[in-house]
Amino acid sequence: MNTTTASSTTINSQASPAGRPSVPPRPGRPVVRFQDVSKIYDAGSQPVRALDGVTVDIFEGELTAIMGPSGSGKSTFMNVAAGLDDVTSGACFVAGQPIHQMDDAQRAILRREHVGFIFQSFNLIPTLSAEENVLLPFELAGRRVDTETSAWIEQLFTTLGLGERRSHKPSQLSGGQQQRVAIARALAARPSIIFADEPTGNLDTRTSREVLTLLRTAASAYHQSIAMVTHDPVAASYADRILVIADGQVVGDHGRLSPAQVSELLIGLEEGAA
């Protein structure tokens, strides 16, 4: 994994004549690319347009926060990007591969090889130790843990403060320790992109900040690409970039902002929708 520090250049969104955010070019390659993506759910007489012509890239080595009101389309955005849901129209590429052209089996292989997940509820296997939970994706994929990967996992346990907890089962760990194990599991295979769904939602304030610092470090020190869905302005303030989704469209694309600035952004969005 490249250890080049990711840039944290602030980018302000500007409205183009078409009403879409216009953002200067960013460093690094896109690991997720949406090209005019729409997702429509059949809800009887009134289909739901969860994504509406979204064109946006997520770049390598950045922590990107995805925000928006409830029902805005941010969860659908993540599900499509992770290959958990099909597009209705448009094109979606993950690690350069056309996920919109793949069947379920092909998308499962892509997720196994290129995608990591961190969930609000941790999603650890209760009967396995911390170390066994981290190694489980390798076993499921039939991948051998070579010397280099073993050293990387050892580094993760040390960096995440889990060195003395490797043999502990989830029930023997605090919420923060369980989330650290989940982070180690996501980072262990060095995926092209990690999707974090409200990763601090079940944590107290102090532990949340520790976890967010770890995610920030993963992006800046290890050049890991992370897309984090969150409603929390404090969590979003740790991100290099903040994408705002409303009514299935990307309506804002910002660089690093303070929690107060993120709050003002969301309040303005709510007032505009009123």
Side-chain angles (χ1 to χ4, degrees):
M1 178 173 293
N2 194 326
T3 57
T4 303
T5 302
S7 170
S8 59
T9 303
T10 299
I11 295 178
N12 297 318
S13 65
Q14 301 171 350
S16 69
R20 296 182 184 274
S22 176
V23 181
R26 304 183 64 88
R29 297 172 299 178
V31 291
V32 175
R33 170 161 283 181
F34 275 51
Q35 295 178 340
D36 199 25
V37 169
S38 291
K39 175 61 183 178
I40 302 172
Y41 293 103
D42 186 2
S45 60
Q46 291 186 321
V48 176
R49 187 175 288 271
L51 295 177
D52 187 7
V54 174
T55 296
V56 72
D57 294 338
I58 293 177
F59 293 88
E60 66 178 359
E62 289 190 334
L63 173 56
T64 301
I66 300 170
M67 306 194 78
S70 178
S72 62
K74 57 185 183 296
S75 293
T76 302
F77 180 96
M78 184 180 72
N79 288 340
V80 168
L84 298 172
D85 212 343
D86 291 320
V87 303
T88 302
S89 63
C92 178
F93 299 86
V94 177
Q97 300 189 38
I99 200 167
H100 59 287
Q101 296 178 346
M102 297 179 177
D103 59 26
D104 289 344
Q106 291 170 323
R107 288 200 298 266
I109 293 172
L110 181 137
R111 283 194 299 272
R112 189 173 67 202
E113 295 179 349
H114 292 284
V115 179
F117 293 95
I118 302 171
F119 301 97
Q120 177 178 341
S121 56
F122 317 137
N123 282 20
L124 301 178
I125 305 300
T127 56
L128 300 181
S129 68
E131 184 171 21
E132 289 168 339
N133 267 284
V134 171
L135 294 175
L136 181 61
F138 292 91
E139 294 184 20
L140 294 176
R143 283 183 58 185
R144 185 177 67 86
V145 179
D146 58 23
T147 302
E148 181 183 356
T149 302
S150 181
W152 167 240
I153 293 173
E154 184 66 33
Q155 181 181 344
L156 288 174
F157 271 95
T158 301
T159 302
L160 296 172
L162 294 168
E164 298 180 357
R165 297 281 188 257
R166 354 174 33 116
S167 63
H168 288 59
K169 290 184 169 57
S171 62
Q172 299 172 303
L173 302 172
S174 68
Q177 289 168 338
Q178 290 184 62
Q179 193 60 296
R180 288 187 183 92
V181 173
I183 291 171
R185 180 180 60 188
L187 288 169
R190 308 189 194 198
S192 299
I193 180 74
I194 289 175
F195 294 103
D197 188 8
E198 300 282 3
T200 60
N202 286 334
L203 304 176
D204 59 54
T205 300
R206 182 176 66 84
T207 306
S208 293
R209 289 176 178 172
E210 292 175 354
V211 167
L212 290 165
T213 298
L214 291 171
L215 295 178
R216 168 77 256 135
T217 300
S220 61
Y222 301 133
H223 210 57
Q224 177 64 60
S225 309
I226 303 172
M228 173 178 66
V229 172
T230 183
H231 69 281
D232 181 4
V234 173
S237 72
Y238 282 76
D240 298 297
R241 182 186 186 197
I242 301 171
L243 291 177
V244 183
I245 297 178
D247 297 325
Q249 297 181 328
V250 176
V251 297
D253 190 340
H254 306 266
R256 298 195 73 175
L257 299 175
S258 69
Q261 289 173 316
V262 177
S263 295
E264 290 176 5
L265 189 70
L266 297 179
I267 290 171
L269 185 64
E270 292 174 358
E271 290 176 346

